[in-house]
Structure formats: C-alpha cells, structure tokens
Amino acid sequence: MPNRRLTKDELSGLALPLLSHIREKIVSLSRGDVQLAWAIRRKIYKELSFDERRKPPQRKKLKAQKRKEQGNKCALCGGELTARYAVLDRIEAMGGYTKENTRLIHRDCDDDYQRSKGYT
Ligand SMILES: [Zn+2]
C-alpha cells in the first residue's frame, strides 16, 4: 500500500495552517526568548518524531528482536549483519515500527532499496 499523501486541499486547508499556528504559538509562548523558542521547537519536533518512529529504547528492543529472529542475517541479501549500522526498515511506512512490519537490513542494502524505489 502506498503511503497516504495529503491532497492539495488537505495541505493548504489543514497541514499548512496547523504548521503556521504551531510556529506562531512557539513565538508567543517564548515571548522573545530565542533560546526558549528553540527548546520548545526541539521538544515538539522530537515528540512528533516519536509519534511516528516510537522512542529510541522501543526501537532498540525491536531491533534486537529482529536480529535474533532473522539469525543475524540481512532480510534483503541474506548476508551477516554487523553489530552496528543495521537499519530497522519498515515494510510499509504507515504500518509503523511493529514486529510484523519491520525487518533488519544492511545500511547499504537499504540505500540500494531506497534508490530502486526512487526515494533518494
Ligand atoms: Zn544486506
């Protein structure tokens, strides 16, 4: 299933006004304190990314489960995974980081796969 994308009307009528609202709210809440505005913006950014990607300890745990389940082999090429630089890949982006929707793959295999799909 392809990723859900916003329609032109959803983008202009929903997402962009919400983004403007958040930006205005950060400015008003920080009352000219540039460092506070930065800290609020960073916190909002992080929390929203966790909404999509889950928190790092959850991803780390899932990565370890997938490594064990796959016998430490890359799900794409079947080669041995290194201790680092393995990518927890979502089979469908909208499916989230669940056991059923992820696979552990080499970073290079991920790059090749992304390129073959036209994502990079
Ligand atoms: Zn591989």
Side-chain angles (χ1 to χ4, degrees), residues 45-109:
Y45 167 81
K46 271 177 72 175
E47 291 298 325
L48 288 175
S49 76
F50 292 157
D51 288 352
E52 181 171 341
R53 297 174 51 84
R54 301 176 77 187
K55 292 192 173 186
Q58 294 168 314
R59 283 204 315 273
K60 190 176 176 182
K61 185 179 171 190
L62 182 56
K63 220 171 175 176
Q65 286 176 335
K66 298 306 286 191
R67 186 179 292 275
K68 189 174 178 184
E69 179 186 298
Q70 293 174 206
N72 201 39
K73 306 280 186 211
C74 171
L76 287 181
C77 75
E80 192 86 15
L81 290 166
T82 53
R84 301 184 69 184
Y85 309 116
V87 174
L88 188 59
D89 179 51
R90 287 173 295 183
I91 295 161
E92 289 189 18
M94 286 179 53
Y97 284 88
T98 64
K99 200 168 181 223
E100 299 74 25
N101 191 47
T102 54
R103 59 189 174 185
L104 203 57
I105 60 177
H106 289 120
R107 183 173 285 174
D108 288 347
C109 287

Side-chain angles (χ1 to χ4, degrees), residues 24-57:
E24 288 164 16
K25 197 75 181 167
I26 290 171
V27 168
S28 70
L29 290 172
S30 61
R31 291 185 223 120
D33 182 335
V34 175
Q35 291 175 336
L36 177 58
W38 180 88
I40 293 170
R41 190 171 41 251
R42 186 180 174 96
K43 181 65 176 171
I44 298 299
Y45 167 81
K46 271 177 72 175
E47 291 298 325
L48 288 175
S49 76
F50 292 157
D51 288 352
E52 181 171 341
R53 297 174 51 84
R54 301 176 77 187
K55 292 192 173 186

